[in-house]
Amino acid sequence: MTAMSFVYLAAILFAIGAAAVLLRRNAIVAFMGVELMLNAANLVLVAFSRMYGELDGQIMAFFVMVVAAAEVVVGLAIIIALFRARQTISLDEPAELKG
Amino acid sequence: MQSLIWLAIAIPLASAAFLLVAGKRADAWGHWVGVVASSAAFLVGAGALLEMLGQDAANRATTLTLWEFIPGSDLNVNVGLLVDPLSITFVMLITFVGTLIHFYSVAYMEHDVARRRFFAYLNLFIAAMLLLVLADSYLLLFFGWEGVGLASYLLIGFWNHRNEYATAANKAFVVNRIGDIGLIIAMGMMFAAFGAVDFTTVFAEAPEASTATLTAIGLALLLAACGKSAQFPLQSWLGDAMAGPTPVSALIHAATMVTAGVYLIVRSAPIFNGAPNAQLVVAVVGAITLLLGAFIGMAKDDIKKALAASTMSQIGYMMLAAGLGPIGYAFAIFHLLTHGFFKAGMFLGAGSVMHAMNDQVDMRRFGALRGVMVITWVTFGLGWLAILGIPPFSGYWSKDKIIEAAFVGEGWQPWVLGGAALIGAGLTAFYMSRLFFMTFHGKARWTDDVHPHESSPLMTVPMIVLAVGSAFLGLFMATGDRFTHFLEPVTGHAEHHDPVIPIPVIIALTLALVIVGAAVAWMKYGRADVPETAPAGSLATITARNDFFQDGVNRAVFQRPGQHLTRTLVYADAAIVDGAVNKQAHGWARLGEASRKLQTGQVRSYAATMLVGVVLIALIIVVGGL
Amino acid sequence: MVSEVLFWIVAALTVIPSLALLFAKRPVHIAMSIVLVMVGLAAAYVGLGAPFLGVVQIVVYTGAVMMMFLFVMMLVGVDNAEDMRETIKGQKWIGFLAAGGLGILLISVIGDASIEPRLTDTVGNPEGVAMILFSEYVLVMEVLGFLLITAAVGALVLTHVPRLTPRRTQVELQAARVLAGANPVNKPMPGVYARHNALDVPALDPQGQPIEESVSRVLEIRRQTQDGQEFRAQLEDTDNPDHEARPHGAPSRDADTRNTRDGEEPK
């Protein structure tokens, strides 16, 4: 069992996260799908770091985490603002992007 | 004064602009402004003439460059005025007759509410016509050409509340446009051949150009001349143009504007001299028109339309002369000058008659006006004698020379052209006498409500002046070939040729025909009773009465096929050119509609699109092994 | 080498809870499942020789990010279960097919990849990470600091609602209430009986009549109130053996007569 197995695992998690973004109407849930995708990427970075015996992968994963934290803060703020404006966080409601 | 000749154009133009914008407050005195402007133009012209007469015959052409019009390009055109014997002749004719008619109009239009506007148009016409004859390039001439066309259109349709008058104005405008195309094409060919459109360059280079080029230019110029001068086959507008007030008919459609075509041909003499075929066409067109006009004139009962037909016919004489080459140019202009006087005089007389007869124009309801309108009768009679060509009145000196010149040449040409001119003289005598006798002699066939009276001095004085001109101008000019020599710097010296028939024989024949024509007219319309309604008449009479069905012919030959052609082109344009473009545009619009459906506004659909795209690209990369 | 046991535990701990993202209805359940996933990933990091990241994962994700999600859920309403019926035509199929296709594609690519692992087996340690972080990547660290501050300020700006009217003090509120005709004194307390905490039973006035306004208005709206008469009857009925048998401390008749909230199972 090598670190490669974790890469497979990460691929599965990434696909699940992507499916969540597509299928869930609740903005918070879709957002959690995005988080899962980020974490899957992190797992790949750490696994490769392990495989190559370099620490840079971990550093990258760390940066991803920091950026994800910042992104979560802003994203959740946007969700709250959306909720205040529309009394809902359903992704189907703000159909103002309609052409 | 020659350097100030631009004032002759500027003053009437400024007066026209002033009268148009001055508004109602100028209604009471505005017409006098017009008269003064026209008189000032005459004084400027007279000064220039006197200055010119003081110069050597060789130095009489002066070019006055005002400003650069189209500078610096391949086509370099200046706004310049050319003062030479030919143009000064026209300036004098236009301003003198024009001023007389301005005076006449003050009385004639006295009761018209729009008299100020009428004088504005008249002044505009004077300015444009002077620009036409004084221009030193074809392009500037074209401006005057269009300007007189505009003034003519405005004045024919002056009473445009009458539908048929407005239609007549439109007709004149449209027919004139056909001629204008000829002038534009001629200018284009000149630019292509000589790289310039000013007279100096074009005439200097014309002798070197090929005959074909010169013939093409000449024919295009002839088309322009036909449009403006109502020559066959573009003659149809002149009769209807009589819808305008009678002073307009006298000034524009008898004395000046319609002769612009003759001016164009004579001015373009160096071009025509190099193109004998074009000259022949000019002469033939003139001959056809002079007979056509004469036939129409014989059948018309409307006094103005009969005079219009006569104008057409007389301009046919001038064109015939212009087509004869150097021997005819001077006579063409000479006849133009005398015709300007006697025809304007007769039109003014007709206006005076109409004024007395409650604006009736049907000669069958005139008659016996000699007693009540003595001055009109005498002045009109002098004009009548002049146009008949009775010596020593003006017409004799000019028309007889044309007939003589027409008989000069070889082969069939002198016989055909001279014969036409000779027959035309007889016909002219008949129809003018018919007109004269029907109007002034015989029994009174007046309608009950008319009370004929002589017109006011303001109208009769110009008529008298013109009648004096009709009587003696020809004699004065012809004495010692004075006028021919005067024009020689422009028209060139003509070698003397003997006609195919001896000159005394021609003169005798002409006079005999004239007398026969006048006598027949006296028998039929002077002594005999004239029916108050027109008899049915023979086929020939009906044909002539309907202007040789010119409108129908135009409709069948030009309008209908033109319409069909236009419709076909429009259809082709819509179906093929527009069709392709529109179909393409519709295609894009439909594509847009289709892609708009993709734009659902659903965030998740967008996310799905992105993911599907990513998967597809990845698939291509993986499977394609890129 | 990585322990096989660890891998399978991690796999089970991540894939199964993450499926909640697709199939669970209540956001809170999903959030808790994701917490599990994050913990599983932390375990994987530790197992892959990155203990520092494992700790950071626990602290940042489970401790901060997921808790923030939960707070937001509380703000926008915890218990609104999502209707799982799909509203966009074909979205379900597109979603599953695209995500599944992506997964298969990724796995096939990973299967094709031939990476020769270097078995140096260097275990990532906080010191090693710190050495690289503060030497090679120090500038990135600084930039990340800016990013975090910007994000914090951005969140404040996004969620800040400006006050349009001046804040009213308690004194003003009281004055307004009195002006509106409110009773200046306290309402009477609800009735208290020996065997019941009786917030839902009105007090009795000296004539023995219940005072309606002594019961909280909230209970009235929920229709969880009782009147004194009924309760007295229950009190007199205590020797009924049926009631004694009930495990509840509350009087037996109490539960039966109470109208429960809509949609909840009666207890």
Side-chain angles (χ1 to χ4, degrees):
Chain A
M1 186 60 55
T2 62
M4 206 62 185
S5 330
F6 285 96
V7 181
Y8 286 108
L9 179 63
I12 293 168
L13 289 179
F14 191 87
I16 292 173
V21 173
L22 296 198
L23 297 177
R24 299 308 294 254
R25 253 171 299 171
N26 190 323
I28 295 176
V29 178
F31 202 25
M32 284 194 276
V34 174
E35 289 302 309
L36 187 62
M37 289 159 81
L38 280 169
N39 273 293
N42 269 355
L43 183 56
V44 173
L45 286 171
V46 174
F48 279 134
S49 165
R50 164 79 176 188
M51 269 189 272
Y52 286 108
E54 302 273 351
L55 284 177
D56 296 72
Q58 292 187 25
I59 303 288
M60 280 304 134
F62 176 71
F63 287 155
V64 171
M65 279 183 198
V66 179
V67 174
E71 173 233 343
V72 164
V73 169
V74 175
L76 287 176
I78 289 173
I79 288 176
I80 287 175
L82 196 68
F83 180 75
R84 283 212 187 112
R86 301 179 178 275
Q87 304 302 311
T88 178
I89 52 168
S90 168
L91 287 179
D92 287 358
E93 287 298 324
E96 280 178 6
L97 297 173
K98 193 168 169 58
Chain B
M1 283 304 264
Q2 285 184 5
S3 56
L4 290 176
I5 196 73
W6 59 273
L7 278 174
I9 299 171
I11 292 172
L13 196 63
S15 161
F18 168 75
L19 288 176
L20 280 177
V21 301
K24 279 185 185 158
R25 70 194 73 119
D27 270 350
W29 43 269
H31 46 279
W32 291 114
V33 174
V35 172
V36 168
S38 180
S39 313
F42 170 69
L43 291 178
V44 172
L49 175 66
L50 288 178
E51 190 181 336
M52 179 183 289
L53 289 176
Q55 284 164 336
D56 250 6
N59 299 330
R60 280 182 179 171
T62 310
T63 303
L64 181 70
T65 303
L66 297 181
W67 68 83
E68 288 190 333
F69 181 33
I70 304 176
S73 57
D74 288 345
L75 180 66
N76 205 329
V77 182
N78 293 329
V79 170
L81 301 179
L82 172 66
V83 185
D84 67 358
L86 180 60
S87 59
I88 206 73
T89 306
F90 269 88
V91 169
M92 292 316 293
L93 174 71
I94 294 158
T95 52
F96 183 66
V97 177
T99 305
L100 287 178
I101 287 173
H102 270 77
F103 277 108
Y104 179 90
S105 302
V106 170
Y108 190 84
M109 301 297 284
E110 195 171 3
H111 303 296
D112 199 292
V113 288
R115 180 161 65 165
R116 176 179 53 80
R117 190 158 57 87
F118 180 82
F119 276 85
Y121 293 163
L122 274 190
N123 275 338
L124 173 67
F125 170 78
I126 297 280
M129 190 71 201
L130 289 176
L131 180 65
L132 195 166
V133 297
L134 284 170
D136 77 335
S137 68
Y138 281 98
L139 189 64
L140 195 59
L141 178 146
F142 187 67
F143 274 79
W145 191 267
E146 291 300 311
V148 295
L150 170 69
S152 162
Y153 165 78
L154 291 171
L155 286 166
I156 293 171
F158 187 71
W159 290 316
N160 55 13
H161 45 87
R162 294 269 304 266
N163 209 12
E164 64 265 33
Y165 290 2
T167 311
N170 283 336
K171 185 177 177 184
F173 201 74
V174 170
V175 176
N176 267 298
R177 290 291 80 71
I178 298 172
D180 296 346
I181 289 170
L183 190 49
I184 292 172
I185 292 173
M187 280 196 285
M189 288 193 286
M190 280 172 209
F191 179 54
F194 312 124
V197 292
D198 59 303
F199 294 151
T200 322
T201 319
V202 170
F203 297 159
E205 296 188 11
E208 276 97 60
S210 70
T211 312
T213 310
L214 292 178
T215 307
I217 295 175
L219 290 178
L221 288 173
L222 174 64
L223 179 64
C226 284
K228 195 57 88 190
S229 293
Q231 296 298 291
F232 180 82
L234 297 177
Q235 82 283 13
S236 63
W237 64 272
L238 187 59
D240 292 339
M242 295 302 123
T246 308
V248 172
S249 307
L251 177 62
I252 300 182
H253 303 121
T256 56
M257 187 195 82
V258 287
T259 60
V262 181
Y263 169 78
L264 186 68
I265 304 277
V266 174
R267 176 58 85 191
S268 310
I271 291 173
F272 282 95
N273 289 343
N277 288 331
Q279 276 185 322
L280 182 62
V281 176
V282 172
V284 169
V285 164
I288 292 175
T289 314
L290 89 86
L291 291 178
L292 194 72
F295 281 123
I296 293 171
M298 289 194 296
K300 288 287 181 190
D301 289 332
D302 179 328
I303 184 169
K304 284 184 71 180
K305 291 205 169 167
L307 283 172
S310 156
T311 304
M312 219 161 95
S313 173
Q314 297 301 313
I315 296 171
Y317 270 109
M318 299 170 209
M319 293 294 271
L320 173 59
L324 294 174
I327 56 167
Y329 292 142
F331 301 135
I333 300 300
F334 190 12
H335 191 54
L336 193 157
L337 200 59
T338 54
H339 172 260
F341 274 83
F342 61 69
K343 185 54 66 63
M346 282 195 283
F347 258 113
L348 295 188
S352 172
V353 169
M354 284 162 60
H355 212 61
M357 302 297 281
N358 290 354
D359 286 334
Q360 289 185 47
V361 289
D362 187 359
M363 291 187 291
R364 293 187 183 275
R365 305 314 296 263
F366 293 170
L369 288 172
R370 174 183 51 171
V372 286
M373 304 178 71
V374 182
I375 299 175
T376 307
W377 175 63
V378 171
T379 56
F380 203 101
L382 284 171
W384 168 64
L385 291 172
I387 196 172
L388 254 55
I390 304 286
F393 299 106
S394 292
Y396 166 77
W397 302 103
S398 52
K399 195 155 81 175
D400 206 61
K401 293 284 186 194
I402 292 178
I403 298 173
E404 284 170 27
F407 273 109
V408 174
E410 292 166 1
W412 57 272
Q413 288 176 26
W415 298 102
V416 171
L417 297 178
L422 199 59
I423 294 167
L427 296 177
T428 305
F430 173 75
Y431 72 75
M432 284 314 295
S433 306
R434 170 177 177 269
L435 190 154
F436 185 66
F437 295 142
M438 273 173 99
T439 305
F440 292 102
H441 294 267
K443 286 185 188 153
R445 300 177 299 274
W446 308 338
T447 45
D448 298 334
D449 53 341
V450 297
H451 306 286
H453 54 87
E454 187 54 273
S455 303
S456 68
L458 210 50
M459 284 166 76
T460 51
V461 169
M463 285 155 60
I464 293 166
V465 174
L466 288 172
V468 169
S470 312
F472 304 116
L473 186 69
L475 183 64
F476 173 73
M477 295 284 199
T479 312
D481 286 340
R482 197 178 273 154
F483 187 64
T484 319
H485 289 308
F486 178 65
L487 282 183
E488 226 159 43
V490 182
T491 59
H493 180 71
E495 311 256 327
H496 184 74
H497 293 283
D498 281 326
V500 288
I501 309 174
I503 288 174
V505 178
I506 294 176
I507 294 175
L509 265 176
T510 311
L511 281 177
L513 273 172
V514 165
I515 288 165
V516 168
V520 171
W522 170 252
M523 303 289 276
K524 281 192 74 173
Y525 299 102
R527 216 175 50 184
D529 286 342
V530 179
E532 287 186 3
T533 51
S538 65
L539 183 64
T541 314
I542 293 170
T543 309
R545 211 176 266 162
N546 288 304
D547 304 314
F548 286 83
F549 305 110
Q550 57 190 9
D551 293 336
V553 169
N554 281 348
R555 203 167 287 137
V557 178
F558 299 111
Q559 187 189 347
R560 289 277 156 68
Q563 276 178 339
H564 287 301
L565 178 67
T566 316
R567 268 180 216 144
T568 314
L569 286 178
V570 166
Y571 176 78
D573 189 50
I576 298 166
V577 181
D578 285 7
V581 175
N582 288 344
K583 281 273 155 52
Q584 195 199 10
H586 282 151
W588 292 118
R590 266 198 289 276
L591 189 66
E593 286 289 318
S595 44
R596 198 167 73 87
K597 296 237 170 64
L598 294 176
Q599 198 85 343
T600 53
Q602 299 290 353
V603 182
R604 294 188 299 139
S605 295
Y606 297 165
T609 314
M610 281 162 66
L611 187 60
V612 169
V614 166
V615 170
L616 284 180
I617 291 170
L619 198 67
I620 291 168
I621 292 172
V622 170
V623 175
L626 295 169
Chain C
M1 283 316 247
V2 182
S3 159
E4 200 165 324
V5 180
L6 173 77
F7 173 74
W8 286 114
I9 290 174
V10 167
L13 208 56
T14 50
V15 174
I16 296 169
S18 67
L19 286 175
L21 268 176
L22 303 181
F23 304 111
K25 283 184 180 163
R26 286 181 186 274
V28 177
H29 298 169
I30 299 172
M32 294 319 291
S33 310
I34 298 299
V35 168
L36 263 185
V37 176
M38 297 303 174
V39 173
L41 285 174
Y45 293 163
V46 175
L48 284 168
F52 172 68
L53 273 188
V55 173
V56 171
Q57 172 82 0
I58 296 276
V59 172
V60 171
Y61 271 103
T62 53
V65 171
M66 294 320 295
M67 290 311 112
M68 207 144 62
F69 270 101
L70 285 173
F71 274 122
V72 171
M73 277 176 215
M74 280 160 60
L75 274 175
V76 302
V78 189
D79 50 353
N80 43 1
E82 192 178 342
D83 187 356
M84 294 299 278
R85 277 173 305 185
E86 187 53 58
T87 46
I88 303 172
K89 202 173 132 194
Q91 176 77 5
K92 198 165 216 164
W93 295 111
I94 293 173
F96 275 125
L97 282 178
L102 183 70
I104 292 166
L105 208 62
L106 285 175
I107 287 169
S108 71
V109 170
I110 296 164
D112 281 352
S114 54
I115 296 168
E116 196 57 49
R118 270 179 277 168
L119 297 171
T120 48
D121 208 29
T122 48
V123 178
N125 52 75
E127 290 88 348
V129 173
M131 287 305 285
I132 297 176
L133 211 51
F134 291 107
S135 58
E136 250 181 276
Y137 292 103
V138 67
L139 186 66
V140 185
M141 281 293 289
E142 299 292 334
V143 172
L144 281 180
F146 283 122
L147 177 71
L148 282 173
I149 291 171
T150 314
V153 174
L156 278 176
V157 169
L158 278 171
T159 53
H160 176 68
V161 179
R163 174 174 283 283
L164 298 173
T165 53
R167 177 186 279 278
R168 300 170 80 192
T169 61
Q170 275 198 337
V171 177
E172 285 167 341
L173 285 172
Q174 173 64 17
R177 266 202 294 272
V178 172
L179 275 176
N183 197 342
V185 297
N186 285 348
K187 291 174 184 170
M189 298 297 285
V192 175
Y193 294 92
R195 293 184 58 198
H196 196 274
N197 62 2
L199 280 173
D200 53 349
V201 178
L204 298 178
D205 66 1
Q207 283 79 35
Q209 297 301 315
I211 305 168
E212 291 294 337
E213 61 176 0
S214 65
V215 181
S216 168
R217 207 159 48 85
V218 175
L219 297 179
E220 264 176 50
I221 289 166
R222 286 184 174 176
R223 288 189 286 168
Q224 286 176 331
T225 56
Q226 317 180 42
D227 57 20
Q229 300 294 338
E230 199 178 344
F231 194 68
R232 193 176 292 150
Q234 286 172 11
L235 278 180
E236 285 155 9
D237 206 22
T238 43
D239 31 322
N240 191 335
D242 288 350
H243 301 295
E244 297 300 321
R246 296 186 80 90
H248 216 278
S252 57
R253 201 68 71 76
D254 187 308
D256 298 334
T257 53
R258 175 162 27 183
N259 288 312
T260 53
R261 251 173 88 191
D262 289 338
E264 276 192 6
E265 292 291 322
K267 296 208 171 100

